[in-house]
Amino acid sequence: MPPRPRPSLAAALAAALVAALLVLLPGSTTAQAAPVLLSQGRPATASSTEGAGTPASAAVDGDNGTRWSSQFADPQWIQVDLGAAARLSQVVLRWETAHARAYRIELSTDGSNWTTAHSTTAGTGGVQTLDITGTARHVRVYGTQRATAWGYSLWEFQVYGTTGTGPTLPGGGDLGPNVIVFDPSTPGIQARLDQVFQQQESAQFGSGRYQFLFKPGTYNGLNAQIGFYTSISGLGLSPDDTTINGDVTVDAGWFNGNATQNFWRSAENLALNPVNGTDRWAVSQAAPFRRMHVKGGLNLAPNGYGWASGGYIADSKIDGQVGNYSQQQWYTRDSSIGGWSNGVWNQVFSGTQGAPAQGFPNPPYTTLDTTPVSREKPFLYLDGNEYKVFVPAKRVDARGTSWGNGTAPQGKSIPLSQFYVVRPGASAETINQAVTQGLHLLFTPGVYHVDRTIQVNRPGTVVLGLGLATIVPDNGVTAMKVGDVDGVRLAGFLIDAGPVNSPSLLEIGPAGTTTDHAADPTTVQDVFIRVGGAGPGRATVGMVVNNHDTIVDHTWIWRADHGDGVGWETNRSDYGLRVNGDDVLATGLFVEHFNKYDVQWNGERGRTIFFQNEKAYDAPNQAAIQNGSIKGYAAYQVADSVAVHEGWGLGSYCYYNVDPTIRQEHGFQAPVKPGVRFHDLLVVSLGGNGQYEHVINGTGAPTSGTSTVPSTIVSFP
């Protein structure tokens, strides 16, 4: 088809001037329009473009000489994101010659579910002023029949209405009663620590949430025992600004010396002088130990050396030896340690000074000299008397801590006044208004029910939780979505599935994005996903990563195997993590118990350093997990279409306690291609409850018997 004629700029401006004069005529419907133009300069997307010179953004730029045009096919659409829900009154379409004969004006609050506000099959082109009613954030022109042989083309797509459902939200403010702040002169610190611990020690699925904050200084004679949903942090810019001559302790007395359920707690940004020379941090999943300086040793086992199934250390310095003892697996990143004792199945180190040498499978050490890309978690601190959040800079090929050695930390500080301090009872609508207004989000400890998706669409937004703040989606919505933008920082919160199935619980970027975010990636750190346990919950997928270059640094994505609302169909969730974006890096990936694939990796050039998995305990029989001709779904699947992928230190365990006769074909599945490489893989049958036939694809010895001995592969292919 020959190129279509294009009106000259002068002709276009003349047409626009005539249209503008018509708008001002007495009796014109435009005279009744709301005076606020909401769409100009807002993000616009389209189903297609005719070429690079006619992008969607040209239809909302306020310039009547630039335009959007589509490919020459039906249907086509263009939509604009107003940034926040608004009460709409009018849409003005300034068509170029290529206009729509049949089209709809559609409205949406979430960009996914649309309602029709106007529909016609007799479009005349020119300037069309349409009175509409409705409340929406997204407005779309959906063309179903072209009036010419060309595509659809708009000089301008204008949306009018009124915004704001209330006054401008303030930044900063009080952190609420469950953020407990101490300074060295505070009386009764130990009693307050003990009071919270007594409440939280065994409250595995309770609603209590607590954050302890210690102002810079020295504290003597403390033993801060840390229970469920409790976080302890120093408020200095460096861990050494806040010193406890005492201990920060996690033990397992509440569970008869078994630490395998010591979840959901954290310690950050403190220096410790342990009373007996060694601090005890006997945890399992979702219990990060970050930015800590232990002036002595660290014991990762419970008193009595019972079972433990953790864990994660980052950006920390342990002057003495780390006693691994009974920990089945552990990941240590960008740290400095005085030594490391023994190992059970899978111990992984990247960028860690003092780490043991590579030795997998005996001893079971996977050691990388550096971490390819890392960026430490944002943290709250005091600058004088002012609260700020420090946002550390990205590091490439990092080794050792980001602090110490007399160097200033690299990154930026954001005053608390630039954060919306989210308190229990806040609605998703208000939270979204805060982001649209330009504020970051600081979730104070609590449980938050949201009836719509929290939309994080502004570049560089920090979303930071204190005290394992927990977000529960109601009515089957996705709890949080990140836009196709640079530099979003998600950290320190838990998303707990609601009883109505959500398609996903957390989405990083929209499907199909092609944007390069390598210079300033989104980071997801200590963000945990849970389906069931605290009550019935359902989600098709736990976390979806679409944005390229995303860094997932320590997550536990868990379909509950115990607690309330647990059963093969009761807390159904087929997939834990799905990665569609390219160049995504996971450091410290824990994903467990999903009904089908725990991890599905579809993006190119993905990398994972450390993976821990258990297959779903509660599969009722072999047929329930049959994957076509394959026995069971792999814990970690790389799509056949992927050409380049790499993983280090990955383990999968099975414990089919409902039907111990179940056979699992393999723990890992990947295409056999030169660019797809794995290092140090293992599968384990826990006590003979189910067995693996291979480690990856059809490679690797089967597990057998009840001795809980791993089957390992050092290199694949």
Side-chain angles (χ1 to χ4, degrees):
M1 180 179 291
R4 59 194 177 86
R6 292 173 171 79
S8 68
L9 178 59
L13 292 175
L17 178 59
V18 170
L21 291 171
L22 289 173
V23 164
L24 297 176
L25 290 175
S28 167
T29 57
T30 306
Q32 306 302 316
V36 180
L37 175 60
L38 303 174
S39 53
Q40 189 163 307
R42 299 300 307 173
T45 54
S47 55
S48 68
T49 58
E50 182 183 1
T54 59
S57 59
V60 294
D61 62 2
D63 184 348
N64 288 314
T66 62
R67 64 188 175 88
W68 162 72
S69 62
S70 75
Q71 295 177 356
F72 303 173
D74 292 315
Q76 302 288 340
W77 54 261
I78 181 172
Q79 70 184 57
V80 62
D81 180 354
L82 304 178
R87 292 182 295 275
L88 306 181
S89 59
Q90 192 174 87
V91 169
V92 177
L93 304 177
R94 301 182 184 276
W95 292 103
E96 194 242 17
T97 303
H99 65 278
R101 186 177 310 281
Y103 67 92
R104 303 188 297 268
I105 303 296
E106 297 181 328
L107 311 180
S108 174
T109 58
D110 59 8
S112 299
N113 301 295
W114 298 90
T115 59
T116 299
H118 174 84
S119 179
T120 183
T121 57
T124 59
V127 179
Q128 295 181 307
T129 301
L130 310 169
D131 291 329
I132 62 171
T133 59
T135 298
R137 172 175 173 162
H138 306 268
V139 183
R140 179 165 74 176
V141 181
Y142 195 99
T144 56
Q145 183 185 355
R146 290 165 292 146
T148 71
W150 306 305
Y152 299 84
S153 184
L154 284 165
W155 294 107
E156 282 294 296
F157 169 28
Q158 297 174 313
V159 180
Y160 292 84
T162 58
T163 60
T165 56
T168 299
L169 296 170
D174 182 72
L175 299 179
N178 286 8
V179 176
I180 301 163
V181 183
F182 300 122
D183 66 44
S185 65
T186 302
I189 296 176
Q190 185 65 57
R192 188 71 173 109
L193 294 169
D194 292 345
Q195 179 189 20
V196 171
F197 177 67
Q198 184 177 13
Q199 176 183 319
Q200 298 299 116
E201 179 183 11
S202 59
Q204 182 171 179
F205 298 110
S207 60
R209 303 287 186 274
Y210 291 92
Q211 174 76 56
F212 293 121
L213 297 175
F214 284 75
K215 293 182 179 181
T218 301
Y219 300 78
N220 295 313
L222 296 181
N223 180 19
Q225 299 183 82
I226 305 301
F228 285 100
Y229 313 109
T230 305
S231 298
I232 184 169
S233 307
L235 284 170
L237 196 53
S238 165
D240 289 331
D241 293 340
T242 309
T243 298
I244 293 177
N245 291 319
D247 296 87
V248 171
T249 301
V250 177
D251 207 341
W254 74 277
F255 200 46
N256 299 315
N258 180 345
T260 60
Q261 293 183 24
N262 280 351
F263 313 139
W264 304 305
R265 63 199 75 197
S266 66
E268 300 183 48
N269 205 31
L270 291 164
L272 305 178
N273 280 305
V275 169
N276 67 358
T278 300
D279 192 59
R280 186 185 302 277
W281 188 255
V283 299
S284 287
Q285 291 80 0
F289 197 80
R290 286 186 181 268
R291 202 176 170 80
M292 295 287 287
H293 184 188
V294 181
K295 299 178 180 180
L298 185 65
N299 186 339
L300 303 180
N303 186 28
Y305 303 98
W307 294 337
S309 181
Y312 176 89
I313 293 171
D315 202 27
S316 293
K317 183 178 181 183
I318 292 92
D319 294 345
Q321 179 170 273
V322 179
N324 178 74
Y325 303 117
S326 56
Q327 284 288 353
Q328 296 162 356
Q329 69 280 317
W330 199 279
Y331 176 51
T332 306
R333 178 183 64 72
D334 297 355
S335 294
S336 173
I337 60 177
W340 191 273
S341 77
N342 79 289
V344 180
W345 296 329
N346 195 30
Q347 316 288 309
V348 180
F349 308 84
S350 69
T352 299
Q353 297 167 340
Q358 171 73 29
F360 189 89
N362 187 23
Y365 299 145
T366 299
T367 303
L368 286 71
D369 190 58
T370 62
T371 304
V373 184
S374 55
R375 191 163 58 177
E376 300 306 328
K377 178 184 172 184
F379 61 92
L380 191 67
Y381 79 103
L382 276 174
D383 183 2
N385 292 319
E386 183 182 7
Y387 282 109
K388 295 182 178 179
V389 171
F390 190 78
V391 183
K394 184 180 76 171
R395 298 201 291 169
V396 177
D397 294 327
R399 180 171 173 81
T401 64
S402 69
W403 52 273
N405 304 316
T407 59
Q410 300 298 303
K412 65 178 182 180
S413 292
I414 305 174
L416 189 63
S417 60
Q418 294 181 24
F419 282 77
Y420 176 60
V421 178
V422 191
R423 301 178 183 86
S427 68
E429 182 179 16
T430 300
I431 294 167
N432 285 336
Q433 180 187 343
V435 176
T436 301
Q437 191 178 301
L439 295 172
H440 305 276
L441 300 175
L442 182 71
F443 280 85
T444 62
V447 178
Y448 298 82
H449 283 262
V450 294
D451 61 355
R452 66 190 68 182
T453 300
I454 297 172
Q455 303 277 357
V456 185
N457 290 325
R458 198 183 72 254
T461 302
V462 177
V463 181
L464 178 61
L466 300 179
L468 276 295
T470 301
I471 301 169
V472 182
D474 293 333
N475 305 319
V477 302
T478 295
M480 185 178 293
K481 291 184 179 181
V482 174
D484 191 4
V485 296
D486 280 352
V488 170
R489 310 292 293 272
L490 308 182
F493 56 91
L494 168 66
I495 297 177
D496 202 355
V500 179
N501 187 74
S502 294
S504 62
L505 296 174
L506 174 63
E507 291 187 16
I508 310 300
T513 175
T514 59
T515 308
D516 186 338
H517 296 290
D520 191 9
T522 287
T523 54
V524 183
Q525 300 178 284
D526 302 347
V527 173
F528 308 123
I529 305 290
R530 182 170 70 193
V531 183
R538 296 173 67 92
T540 303
V541 189
M543 184 189 301
V544 179
V545 179
N546 293 316
N547 276 355
H548 301 322
D549 310 293
T550 299
I551 300 170
V552 180
D553 176 46
H554 189 227
T555 186
W556 186 36
I557 305 173
W558 186 62
R559 175 182 166 266
D561 61 282
H562 62 274
D564 293 331
V566 171
W568 184 249
E569 296 295 342
T570 305
N571 62 328
R572 181 88 194 186
S573 190
D574 284 349
Y575 310 103
L577 171 67
R578 181 177 291 151
V579 178
N580 298 319
D582 295 340
D583 301 293
V584 172
L585 171 65
T587 52
L589 181 59
F590 299 73
V591 188
E592 296 189 302
H593 305 310
F594 287 83
N595 295 76
K596 292 185 179 179
Y597 292 115
D598 298 279
V599 172
Q600 286 183 301
W601 208 296
N602 303 316
E604 283 289 354
R605 297 176 300 280
R607 292 175 291 182
T608 295
I609 303 174
F610 181 88
F611 171 68
Q612 186 268 330
N613 165 263
E614 288 181 347
K615 294 301 299 174
Y617 291 176
D618 56 345
N621 49 51
Q622 187 76 46
I625 64 164
Q626 193 69 15
N627 181 15
S629 62
I630 299 173
K631 299 174 185 176
Y633 291 81
Y636 189 109
Q637 183 217 29
V638 179
D640 289 342
S641 60
V642 170
V644 178
H645 188 91
E646 195 160 10
W648 296 263
L650 285 67
S652 177
Y653 323 145
C654 72
Y655 185 70
Y656 289 116
N657 61 349
V658 176
D659 182 359
T661 68
I662 288 176
R663 308 288 295 183
Q664 176 79 26
E665 185 100 0
H666 43 228
F668 304 91
Q669 181 181 339
V672 181
K673 298 178 181 178
V676 177
R677 302 187 299 273
F678 287 92
H679 315 272
D680 303 353
L681 300 177
L682 66 90
V683 294
V684 181
S685 168
L686 303 181
N689 289 275
Q691 301 289 349
Y692 291 92
E693 297 188 345
H694 304 285
V695 178
I696 180 168
N697 297 354
T699 303
T703 59
S704 62
T706 61
S707 56
T708 313
V709 174
S711 178
T712 62
I713 285 183
V714 173
S715 181
F716 178 88

